[in-house]
Amino acid sequence: MLLLTNGQMLNEEGTLITTDILVKADKIAKIGKGIKAADAKVIELAGKLVTPGLIDVHVHLREPGGEHKETIATGTAAAARGGYTLIAAMPNTSPVPDSTENLKVVLDKIKEDAVVRVIPYGSITANLKGEHLNDFSTLASDVFAFTDDGRGIQEAGMMYHAMIEAAKVNKPIVAHCEDDSLLFGGYLHDGSYAKQHNHKGILSASESIHIARDAILAKAAAAQYHVCHVSTKESVSIIRWAKAEGINITAEVSPHHLLLADKDIVTEEIANFKMNPPLRDEADRLACLEGILDGTIDIIATDHAPHTAEEKAWPIDEAPFGIVGLETAFPLMYTHFVKNGNWSLKFLVDRMTTIPAKIFNLPYGRLEVGAPADIAVFDLDSTYQIDVEKCLSKGKNTPFNGYEVSGETVMTVVNGEIVYSTL
């Protein structure tokens, strides 16, 4: 048994209340003041914030096949350090989880090495090539959802049939929205920075055109459809329209698209500002902020994408897209939006716990008696500088190194077991 005493927990009204939490085996057994349990391991929280374990629906763990960038062991250790208790692993691995045999390789490695809950995605198409639809019925019971993330489904008919098949097995389609015919070799946003520095730009339309197409297809197929890493004002407008039309559409935004625009790129560290979708105009950033505030965008997801320092040192047109985020997401969001008074603490916590659980029909994201004992504890008064050399992820590729933040994770509990603690 585990007894957490004198923590601060959010109630339904968003008020912090002092409470104890008793964990028995893998469940929350009691919540309240003055809990006694003679045989429990007691941990004094001294007013620190206790939340449901964070949920990230968009993580690249790289293994199998990309172990030089990240492994399931290092990626889930990073997740635990960030307060995450459940992450959904994207399918751009080798092998791709596009068959029961290949999925078993991933599941076996997760069982062996993961320290937090990991549910893999199944790919929409064989080997992520966008040519042949997978047999969703054989994969559905063991996957989070279906996606070819990192590659947009280029052919509308393929996406429509994917949505039809996903609906049959009651799984969402999760989409990286990008029309390859509109890329023109771009690698940064087609905005002021790219023009001033003579870089090839990625049009905003390459994202929004796919979202518009897919929203219409989702309505036709009666499918559940989720948009990855929204980054443009046009995309926000389209999702807002689709929701008003009653289409079953949800969306995520990543911390970097809420915090940064292309004007913030530091030329000397440019590869750590290269991600896909790219950092857009300031107007796009503000539209994403408006979108999450009014409910158009539902949740926050990191798009954790580790790469080696050697890869990120390549010329900017060749360096891989992506930054890491599992260990920095909560403190960055708390510091820049809650601590300064723009968001309530409950608003942030819900979008990293309760709402993703509800969207994807997961039995997590709750601090309730009888719920799974997945718990995160944060010290909101702890102020520190992000230091990539202290990160547990293999990837050190982030534009946020050196940022001063508050809201440090001090404990993560998964299934009743402490998997990370500095207490």
Side-chain angles (χ1 to χ4, degrees):
M1 285 190 294
L2 178 65
L3 179 58
L4 308 179
T5 62
N6 296 311
Q8 291 280 300
M9 172 182 160
L10 289 160
N11 64 15
E12 284 299 315
E13 290 72 41
T15 301
L16 285 170
I17 57 173
T18 301
T19 191
D20 303 338
I21 299 176
L22 178 65
V23 173
K24 287 186 179 181
D26 58 353
K27 294 289 192 297
I28 296 174
K30 291 182 182 180
I31 298 176
K33 293 183 179 179
I35 296 174
K36 304 295 183 184
D39 298 328
K41 177 180 181 180
V42 180
I43 298 178
E44 169 62 49
L45 298 185
K48 295 177 177 63
L49 175 68
V50 185
T51 74
L54 305 185
I55 296 171
D56 193 342
V57 304
H58 195 142
V59 173
H60 298 271
L61 289 179
R62 305 302 188 198
E63 189 177 19
E67 290 84 355
H68 60 295
K69 300 174 187 280
E70 189 80 285
T71 65
I72 288 168
T74 59
T76 58
R81 184 171 182 255
Y84 288 94
T85 56
L86 186 150
I87 57 178
M90 287 296 174
N92 55 338
T93 54
S94 182
V96 173
D98 56 5
S99 66
T100 53
E101 294 80 11
N102 290 345
L103 179 58
K104 186 177 185 301
V105 174
V106 178
L107 292 170
D108 287 348
K109 197 64 182 174
I110 289 168
K111 185 176 181 180
E112 180 181 345
D113 288 343
V115 298
V116 304
R117 299 182 195 273
V118 180
I119 309 176
Y121 279 90
S123 67
I124 293 173
T125 65
N127 209 29
L128 302 175
K129 289 186 176 181
E131 297 172 355
H132 303 288
L133 198 64
N134 292 328
D135 183 353
F136 290 2
S137 65
T138 64
L139 301 171
S141 63
D142 291 314
V143 300
F144 185 78
F146 290 97
T147 188
D148 272 10
D149 180 63
R151 302 181 184 184
I153 299 293
Q154 299 304 302
E155 207 271 315
M158 176 69 72
M159 180 58 96
Y160 174 71
H161 286 296
M163 289 179 172
I164 291 287
E165 295 303 310
K168 287 180 182 177
V169 295
N170 197 32
K171 289 289 182 179
I173 288 289
V174 175
H176 172 107
C177 293
E178 187 170 49
D179 187 323
D180 290 353
S181 71
L182 293 173
L183 295 182
F184 308 119
Y187 46 88
L188 297 174
H189 172 59
D190 186 41
S192 57
Y193 183 90
K195 290 178 173 64
Q196 290 168 10
H197 295 84
N198 198 31
H199 292 298
K200 291 183 178 180
I202 298 174
L203 296 173
S204 293
S206 65
E207 173 180 300
S208 55
I209 197 169
H210 261 200
I211 297 175
R213 178 201 73 177
D214 289 354
I216 293 168
L217 293 175
K219 183 175 184 179
Q224 181 181 352
Y225 174 65
H226 180 79
V227 185
C228 292
H229 42 48
V230 173
S231 71
T232 79
K233 59 183 183 293
E234 295 85 0
S235 299
V236 175
S237 294
I238 292 164
I239 295 164
R240 186 177 290 122
W241 164 84
K243 288 191 170 187
E245 289 291 307
I247 296 169
N248 189 359
I249 184 172
T250 54
E252 69 191 45
V253 66
S254 298
H256 44 277
H257 288 122
L258 293 175
L259 292 170
L260 301 172
D262 63 346
K263 67 179 178 59
D264 299 307
I265 294 174
V266 176
T267 300
E268 293 77 15
E269 302 173 22
I270 188 170
N272 282 335
F273 290 81
K274 182 183 179 183
M275 66 283 291
N276 193 16
L279 297 177
R280 305 286 188 182
D281 291 334
E282 178 68 2
D284 296 302
R285 186 186 75 84
L286 293 175
C288 288
L289 279 171
E290 181 183 358
I292 198 163
L293 283 169
D294 70 14
T296 301
I297 298 172
D298 301 88
I299 61 174
I300 296 167
T302 67
D303 192 10
H304 177 83
H307 297 289
T308 66
E310 292 76 16
E311 290 167 326
K312 279 294 190 177
W314 294 346
I316 188 58
D317 58 333
E318 299 176 14
F321 292 103
I323 65 170
V324 293
L326 285 169
E327 295 169 81
T328 58
F330 183 85
L332 284 168
M333 295 292 92
Y334 174 76
T335 301
H336 289 273
F337 297 117
V338 178
K339 191 175 180 180
N340 67 9
N342 287 337
W343 297 358
S344 72
L345 181 57
K346 188 175 191 302
F347 182 90
L348 173 62
V349 170
D350 283 353
R351 279 145 190 82
M352 300 182 78
T353 60
T354 306
I355 297 175
K358 183 178 180 181
I359 288 172
F360 291 95
N361 195 30
L362 301 169
Y364 309 110
R366 301 175 291 128
L367 278 186
E368 300 172 0
V369 173
D374 287 10
I375 300 167
V377 182
F378 300 97
D379 185 348
L380 300 183
D381 296 323
S382 171
T383 299
Y384 65 102
Q385 283 192 332
I386 293 172
D387 181 354
V388 294
E389 296 309 317
K390 294 180 180 178
C391 288
L392 301 183
S393 170
K394 280 190 174 185
K396 313 301 180 188
N397 46 305
T398 175
F400 299 115
N401 190 41
Y403 273 50
E404 186 171 282
V405 292
S406 300
E408 185 174 13
T409 310
V410 293
M411 179 178 289
T412 306
V413 177
V414 178
N415 208 35
E417 298 291 332
I418 297 171
V419 297
Y420 177 81
S421 179
T422 61
L423 296 178

